[in-house]
């Protein structure tokens, strides 16, 4: 994986990098993470905020204080984000700060061909609905014109192709012991929910530990729980699950940790030594491929079909295949990216497979 960059308006050694606040809808997460990885390669410190933490409205005030410290507010716009009250409220705060203080600079980024909200008419926007590569180059040029230091990523030599790990996702879970309904009459739904929230708190602690393997302590924002880590993101939820007794219902606390551009050595160390203790449902690797490969989704699906049994497929999540030890691998390809997601029924099973699975080599095989 190549991380070479060539300088244009370069960031000097010791200088603080420009900081960007990224606001987006959770449903656009994979596309946004890919662009966030590219922005980090350009030298920006990226704060991700999809509002997928189960908190109250007071967090908007904390986000407002955080926006006062960043240089850029990047609003990733899609039909989903435009219908999000969180995105709208954050956008209003960012626009007010831009008007009062000329900072942060608000830049709309179109993930889909949607109409700009009225308050953004007149702002220069970046169209990422067709080509991520072209969008990143347009955004780099725009940031440079604002006078912020930014790098230019070196392109592969003619006829060559390279890939790099944009982000890695750790999916954690914990199931309640308590159940309600059916033949389980001891606990109420509220009691089960209370236990699930307590489990979620424990998962957050594990998630923070994961992030600390990749993010320097000096980069953490201890004062603002709205987003405490740069180049990382948490999203969480509580869902119902079938209970042990007939008709009973338990709950599952689930939390995803996304790390942008993870250090390969730190990632290898975490996977080889710690995964068994983390209660993982899955681990996913998102790669960016440059230049993009026309027809890659069809080529990847054909190669998988010729070598594995396909367990399932849909155009949104890709193909699921069975590996030889009972774990599953989902492969989701686009012309400029591939996501490899390992999953297993039991966390100890996943930990064993993750140690053996080489995502880089599997991707090379897919592209070969």
């Amino acid at each position: 994986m190549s991380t070479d960059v060539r300088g244009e308006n370069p960031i000097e050694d010791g200088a603080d990098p420009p900081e960007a606040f990224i606001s987006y809808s959770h449903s656009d997460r994979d596309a946004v993470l890919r662009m966030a990885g590219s922005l980090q390669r350009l030298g920006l410190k990226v704060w991700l905020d999809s509002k997928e933490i189960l908190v109250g409205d007071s967090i908007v005030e904390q986000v407002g204080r955080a926006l006062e410290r960043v240089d850029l507010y990047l609003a990733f716009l899609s039909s989903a984000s435009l219908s999000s009250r969180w995105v709208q409220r954050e956008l209003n705060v960012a626009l007010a700060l831009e008007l009062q203080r000329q900072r942060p600079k608000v830049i709309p980024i179109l993930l889909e061909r949607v109409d700009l909200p009225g308050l953004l008419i007149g702002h220069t926007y970046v169209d990422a609905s067709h080509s991520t590569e072209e969008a990143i180059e347009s955004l780099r040029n725009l940031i440079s014109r604002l006078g912020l230091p930014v790098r230019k990523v070196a392109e592969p030599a003619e006829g060559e192709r390279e890939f790099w790990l944009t982000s890695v996702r750790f999916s954690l879970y914990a199931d309640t012991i308590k159940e309600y309904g059916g033949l389980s009459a001891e606990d109420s739904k509220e009691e089960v929910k209370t236990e699930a929230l307590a489990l979620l708190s424990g998962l957050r602690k594990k998630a923070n530990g994961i992030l600390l393997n990749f993010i320097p302590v000096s980069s953490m924002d201890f004062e603002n729980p709205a987003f405490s880590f740069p180049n990382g993101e948490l999203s969480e939820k509580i869902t119902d699950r079938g209970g042990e007794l007939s008709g009973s219902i338990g709950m599952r606390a689930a939390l995803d940790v996304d790390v942008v551009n993870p250090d390969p050595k730190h990632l290898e160390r975490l996977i080889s030594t710690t995964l068994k203790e983390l209660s993982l449902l899955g681990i996913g690797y998102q790669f960016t491929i440059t230049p993009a490969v026309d027809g890659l989704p069809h080529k990847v699906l054909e190669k998988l079909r010729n070598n594995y049994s396909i367990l399932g497929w849909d155009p949104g999540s890709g193909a699921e295949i069975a590996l030889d030890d009972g774990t599953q691998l989902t492969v989701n390809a686009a012309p400029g990216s591939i996501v490899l997601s390992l999953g297993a029924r039991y966390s100890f099973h996943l930990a064993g497979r993750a140690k053996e699975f080489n995502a880089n080599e599997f991707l090379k095989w897919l592209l070969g």
Side-chain angles (χ1 to χ4, degrees):
M1 293 180 288
S2 173
T3 57
D4 294 336
V5 295
R6 61 172 179 264
E8 179 178 313
N9 194 15
I11 298 173
E12 297 179 1
D13 291 341
D16 292 332
E19 299 193 30
F21 182 103
I22 291 180
S23 185
Y24 65 102
S25 167
H26 181 70
S27 60
D28 300 322
R29 180 169 52 164
D30 286 343
V32 171
L33 285 171
R34 183 182 170 199
M35 291 197 68
S38 296
L39 290 172
Q40 191 189 41
R41 293 182 87 201
L42 296 179
L44 276 68
K45 181 184 288 187
V46 177
W47 300 92
L48 295 132
D49 182 54
S50 70
K51 279 293 163 293
E52 284 299 314
I53 302 298
L54 303 181
V55 294
D57 288 358
S58 63
I59 201 168
V60 174
E61 298 178 6
Q62 299 162 348
V63 170
R65 291 196 298 270
L67 284 175
E68 295 178 354
R69 300 199 301 271
V70 299
D71 304 289
L72 301 166
Y73 176 88
L74 307 180
F76 282 78
L77 302 182
S78 66
S79 55
S81 66
L82 288 176
S83 63
S84 166
R85 65 186 180 95
W86 286 113
V87 172
Q88 185 61 54
R89 292 170 75 175
E90 287 176 355
L91 180 58
N92 290 339
V93 173
L95 288 169
L97 288 171
E98 183 184 40
L99 181 64
Q100 296 168 6
R101 304 168 63 248
Q102 287 73 55
R103 183 173 177 266
K105 294 297 183 182
V106 176
I107 302 177
I109 300 174
L110 305 187
L111 294 174
E112 303 171 6
R113 300 305 296 267
V114 294
D115 293 331
L116 286 177
L119 291 173
L120 287 175
I121 293 176
H123 280 72
T124 302
Y125 67 87
V126 173
D127 188 352
S129 63
H130 176 66
S131 168
T132 300
E133 290 177 311
E134 293 178 5
I136 287 296
E137 182 62 17
S138 296
L139 185 55
R140 188 196 68 80
N141 291 333
L142 179 55
I143 294 172
S144 183
R145 290 199 301 270
L146 292 172
L148 297 172
V150 66
R151 301 176 183 138
K152 183 173 177 62
V153 178
E155 298 177 359
E158 186 175 353
E160 294 185 1
R161 178 169 286 109
E162 63 185 25
F163 62 87
W164 50 283
L165 184 60
T166 308
S167 65
V168 62
R169 176 173 301 159
F170 301 90
S171 298
L172 291 74
Y173 80 101
D175 291 336
T176 60
I177 296 175
K178 294 180 179 180
E179 300 173 354
Y180 70 94
L183 299 178
S184 179
E186 294 184 3
D187 304 305
S188 67
K189 182 177 181 178
E190 290 72 24
E191 289 172 323
V192 178
K193 182 67 175 289
T194 298
E195 182 187 358
L197 288 170
L199 292 173
L200 198 56
S201 178
L203 293 181
R204 289 192 196 117
K205 183 176 181 179
K206 290 184 178 181
N208 291 341
I210 291 174
L211 287 167
L212 277 170
N213 284 278
F214 302 99
I215 299 170
V217 174
S218 60
S219 296
M220 294 168 55
D221 182 0
F222 289 100
E223 298 179 359
N224 194 343
F227 48 43
S228 298
F229 300 90
N231 307 320
E233 170 75 319
L234 307 181
S235 60
E236 59 191 41
K237 61 183 177 181
I238 293 175
T239 57
D240 290 339
R241 62 173 183 82
E244 296 294 329
L245 300 176
S246 177
S248 64
I249 299 173
M251 293 186 183
R252 168 166 290 180
L255 189 152
D256 285 346
V257 186
D258 288 295
V259 182
V260 177
N261 288 353
D263 183 289
K265 292 182 180 179
H266 293 173
L267 178 60
E268 182 178 359
R269 182 179 64 192
L270 181 66
I271 290 176
S272 63
T273 62
T274 315
L275 284 194
K276 193 173 182 180
E277 288 74 35
L278 291 178
S279 300
L280 289 183
L281 276 177
I283 179 170
Y285 309 85
Q286 180 175 205
F287 291 91
T288 291
I289 304 164
T290 184
V293 183
D294 291 336
L296 185 60
H298 296 85
K299 296 174 183 177
V300 165
L301 186 58
E302 184 65 22
K303 193 158 192 175
L304 292 174
R305 193 180 70 85
N306 291 337
N307 291 272
Y308 293 93
S309 297
I310 305 292
L311 300 179
W313 176 88
D314 70 53
S317 60
E320 181 179 336
I321 61 174
L323 302 179
D324 54 13
D325 61 352
T327 54
Q328 296 82 42
L329 177 68
T330 301
V331 182
N332 192 10
S337 66
I338 288 183
V339 179
L340 306 176
S341 302
L342 273 175
R345 185 172 183 180
Y346 302 107
S347 58
F348 69 87
H349 204 177
L350 177 68
R353 164 53 76 172
K355 289 181 183 180
E356 301 172 0
F357 182 72
N358 189 315
N360 285 355
E361 292 301 318
F362 193 87
L363 182 57
K364 289 179 183 178
W365 173 76
L366 284 175
L367 296 175

